[in-house]
Amino acid sequence: MLLRINLILLVAFALGMVAISLVVTSTLQDNATREVLAQAGLMLDSAAAIRSYTETEIGPLLDDKMVSAFRPQSVPFYAATQNFLTLHKEHPDYSYKEATLNPTNPRDRATDWEADIVQRFRNDSSSREVSGTRDTPMGKTLYLARPIRVDAGCLGCHSLPSAAPATMLARYGSDNGFGWQPNEVVGAQVISVPLASAESNAGRVRRDVLTAIAAMLVSVLVVVNVSLYMLVIRPVRRIARIADQVSLGDTAAAEFPRGGGPEVAALSAAFNRMRKSLDKALQMLGML
């Protein structure tokens, strides 16, 4: 009996563990993705802040110097990219790029997968942000991208070569980075953040949760086994042994035990009453 009950409980516990594992894994994976996306969003906001600061605070200070030499430090794109290149030295898994289809600086030219993102923004003017994952030599990485649209400040250098500063043409030439149109999507800010750390933390939490649940289920199994043995199985075995003695005519057999659970105690009381009735009946027949 105890073996069958244990088998039923083990099957139920196994099914429960599988269901819990699926739910916990899915929840932790979603949380890890949201955590990484939030981190990437914060980094993009930081890049936007650097661009704004460069445009409003640094650019005006360097306008006079642009006559004698082009100062890339006055370009918001350049400032944001350089800032993240410094971060990249300490965190090589993190990367930031202002990927552009037709950049002035060849360093900013979009790769194939980045060009696909830019094209998505160009095809859907209402899209403000896209995200996804991709496999890299450093492991699985989550990327978050926002479109780069041409504003009035960009047209001063990127509309026509004739409108661009001479010092800029001297540095980069007149073949690339021109022909931009107002409000046109020319590129995308793309931040890439590794998923390995977040997934590792999620895996550790999953193991801890499942271990705790498994320990709890084992404890429940032990308690159920001890309770069944003490309250049901042991008293029932004693009842069965005494009943067997009585059935063989052993009048010296002990009384049926009154221990165990309420149901077993009621069963013992019923057997004791039946035994007394049987003894009285046999006495009346003169057989004792």
Side-chain angles (χ1 to χ4, degrees):
M1 175 183 175
L2 195 59
L3 177 60
R4 289 194 294 270
I5 292 176
N6 280 327
L7 288 176
I8 294 172
L9 289 176
L10 286 174
V11 170
F13 288 168
L15 293 175
M17 283 293 292
V18 171
I20 292 172
S21 176
L22 292 175
V23 172
V24 169
T25 300
S26 177
T27 301
L28 290 175
Q29 185 65 45
D30 291 343
N31 288 341
T33 301
R34 282 195 295 270
E35 177 186 339
V36 174
L37 275 176
Q39 187 179 24
L42 183 61
M43 296 175 75
L44 278 181
D45 290 340
S46 174
I50 293 171
R51 292 177 63 186
S52 177
Y53 175 79
T54 302
E55 183 177 5
T56 58
E57 302 289 338
I58 304 300
L61 298 177
L62 298 177
D63 284 345
D64 295 340
K65 300 182 181 298
M66 294 285 282
V67 177
S68 58
F70 183 73
R71 309 291 180 178
Q73 292 81 6
S74 66
V75 180
F77 286 14
Y78 179 88
T81 301
Q82 289 299 114
N83 176 72
F84 274 87
L85 284 176
T86 303
L87 177 68
H88 184 73
K89 294 178 182 178
E90 298 296 329
H91 304 280
D93 293 342
Y94 293 74
S95 66
Y96 171 81
K97 183 176 179 181
E98 304 221 351
T100 312
L101 298 179
N102 181 25
T104 301
N105 190 338
R107 179 187 67 178
D108 300 325
R109 186 173 301 279
T111 60
D112 291 341
W113 71 274
E114 292 167 340
D116 291 339
I117 294 175
V118 176
Q119 196 60 47
R120 289 176 61 181
F121 287 127
R122 292 169 69 94
N123 294 337
D124 183 5
S125 59
S126 63
S127 180
R128 294 291 179 267
E129 189 174 273
V130 298
S131 62
T133 57
R134 56 188 297 266
D135 293 325
T136 69
M138 306 296 289
K140 184 175 288 187
T141 300
L142 184 145
Y143 65 83
L144 181 66
R146 294 174 184 170
I148 297 175
R149 296 184 182 274
V150 177
D151 57 23
C154 300
L155 295 176
C157 294
H158 298 284
S159 56
L160 295 172
S162 58
T167 52
M168 173 181 160
L169 296 177
R171 178 168 184 144
Y172 295 110
S174 59
D175 295 331
N176 299 301
F178 299 101
W180 293 11
Q181 301 299 318
N183 206 39
E184 177 189 13
V185 175
V186 295
Q189 294 175 280
V190 183
I191 191 82
S192 296
V193 181
L195 278 171
S197 178
E199 288 184 335
S200 176
N201 291 336
R204 184 168 59 253
V205 173
R206 175 179 175 273
R207 287 192 300 271
D208 292 344
V209 170
L210 293 181
T211 299
I213 293 175
M216 181 186 68
L217 293 180
V218 170
S219 300
V220 169
L221 191 63
V222 170
V223 170
V224 168
N225 274 269
V226 172
S227 299
L228 282 174
Y229 181 78
M230 298 298 294
L231 299 177
V232 179
I233 294 176
R234 188 172 69 171
V236 168
R237 285 178 178 174
R238 293 177 62 190
I239 290 172
R241 184 170 61 252
I242 295 172
D244 186 58
Q245 292 174 337
V246 171
S247 69
L248 296 176
D250 185 359
T251 57
E255 285 194 356
F256 290 98
R258 299 182 180 277
E263 293 79 6
V264 176
L267 179 63
S268 295
F271 270 109
N272 280 321
R273 288 194 301 271
M274 183 180 66
R275 181 180 179 183
K276 291 178 181 178
S277 298
L278 180 60
D279 289 342
K280 291 180 180 180
L282 292 177
Q283 289 176 359
M284 293 174 62
L285 291 174
M287 298 183 62
L288 291 179

